[in-house]
Amino acid sequence: MVKQTAGRDQLGDFAPKFAQLNDDVLFGEVWNREEKLSLRDRSLVTVVSLMSQGLVDSSFQYHLMSAKNNGITKEEIAEILTHAAFYAGWPKAWAAFKMAKDVWMEESLEGNERETHERNMLFPVGEPNSGFAQYFTGQSYLAPLSTEQMGIFNVTFEPGCRNNWHIHHAASGGGQILICVGGRGYYQEWGKEAQELNPGDVVNIPVGAKHWHGAAPDSWFSHLAVEVPGAEISNEWLEAVDDVSYGCLK
């Protein structure tokens, strides 16, 4: 689901109606009509429309990043811009390629860093953790290691990624154990200082403790998440860890 606040953030006081139409109608309604057109296809249409007008500004960069996040690959954006060049104009394509190259170059660098991180671990990074993406800031990955007797999962966080504050509930037993296996990260319980986590560190998370965990701002991080058996187990997902508090961690 697309949520946008740029209109209100930048023009809310000066042009409140325009800001409301931008955030609530264009992004809040039109972009979210996924039953009519997917986010990926909407990104494709938007990128080509902006390129055809020669609008390679910050808004074009934003939509290139959205296109990347919505699944358009480096190979596909190159083909899209090449095709559009014959209709929109060669100079416009050159300008668009310069910005697209920068956006997708980050993907190549991230891929190399992920491969290096994975080589330094015993366990695989796994697949994008899409089932729980709404509870994470940034990209995480999940590799199930054991789903019988006891759930054990390798959870990997890209630099800067962390999960929301959350609480593990259980009528009896329950809780979670984190075993750090790669990179550098943090764990924090509500009302306490965040503690740095490195390979070999173990965290016992009791039932009822509000907490979060994730990567350091400058490092990939992986931990095994061990689900402690219990009765009537559930997770309560809460608010995201705000950027200010997280930004104070080094």
Side-chain angles (χ1 to χ4, degrees):
M1 181 177 182
V2 177
K3 293 183 179 179
Q4 180 64 270
T5 63
R8 289 184 173 86
D9 292 343
Q10 300 178 36
L11 294 172
D13 294 334
F14 186 77
K17 187 59 180 179
F18 180 88
Q20 182 262 322
L21 291 171
N22 181 83
D23 295 350
D24 298 343
V25 179
L26 174 57
F27 286 96
E29 295 181 17
V30 176
W31 271 86
N32 285 321
R33 286 159 49 88
E34 293 187 60
E35 73 282 0
K36 302 295 184 181
L37 197 65
S38 69
L39 288 176
R40 180 186 182 283
D41 289 344
R42 289 185 188 278
S43 284
L44 191 159
V45 171
T46 304
V47 165
V48 172
S49 297
L50 292 175
M51 173 198 156
S52 67
Q53 300 175 69
L55 298 177
V56 285
D57 55 6
S58 59
S59 66
F60 185 67
Q61 183 181 40
Y62 167 82
H63 283 291
L64 285 174
M65 294 174 67
S66 294
K68 175 184 168 185
N69 292 334
N70 289 333
I72 293 180
T73 66
K74 180 176 64 177
E75 292 74 20
E76 288 173 330
I77 194 64
E79 188 64 22
I80 289 166
L81 296 181
T82 299
H83 183 89
F86 287 90
Y87 298 91
W90 219 250
K92 293 176 181 177
W94 267 107
F97 267 120
K98 183 176 181 180
M99 191 169 287
K101 183 179 177 181
D102 289 340
V103 171
W104 269 266
M105 182 62 71
E106 295 175 4
E107 182 180 71
S108 298
L109 295 175
E110 290 169 1
N112 291 337
E113 291 173 357
R114 171 183 163 173
E115 290 173 8
T116 299
H117 177 75
E118 191 164 21
R119 283 198 301 270
N120 292 328
M121 288 195 305
L122 293 174
F123 306 102
V125 165
E127 300 299 323
N129 190 14
S130 56
F132 290 87
Q134 61 184 314
Y135 306 122
F136 284 71
T137 299
Q139 181 65 58
S140 66
Y141 299 84
L142 188 67
L145 304 179
S146 171
T147 55
E148 298 180 8
Q149 294 179 298
M150 180 181 295
I152 303 177
F153 304 85
N154 186 30
V155 185
T156 296
F157 306 76
E158 68 176 5
C161 176
R162 66 273 189 189
N163 51 31
N164 290 6
W165 289 98
H166 58 287
I167 301 172
H168 301 296
H169 295 289
S172 63
Q176 190 177 59
I177 302 171
L178 306 182
I179 304 173
C180 306
V181 295
R184 188 170 69 91
Y186 286 95
Y187 169 81
Q188 183 177 21
E189 288 188 15
W190 187 260
K192 299 181 181 180
E193 294 293 324
Q195 63 183 87
E196 183 175 309
L197 301 178
N198 293 284
D201 290 339
V202 176
V203 179
N204 293 91
I205 305 174
V207 167
K210 182 177 178 180
H211 65 285
W212 69 269
H213 35 104
D218 59 354
S219 175
W220 284 76
F221 176 62
S222 293
H223 65 58
L224 302 186
V226 181
E227 299 177 350
V228 180
E232 299 179 30
I233 293 176
S234 65
N235 286 343
E236 179 183 3
W237 290 100
L238 303 168
E239 71 275 15
V241 178
D242 67 88
D243 291 337
V244 175
S245 298
Y246 178 78
C248 294
L249 303 174
K250 301 298 183 182

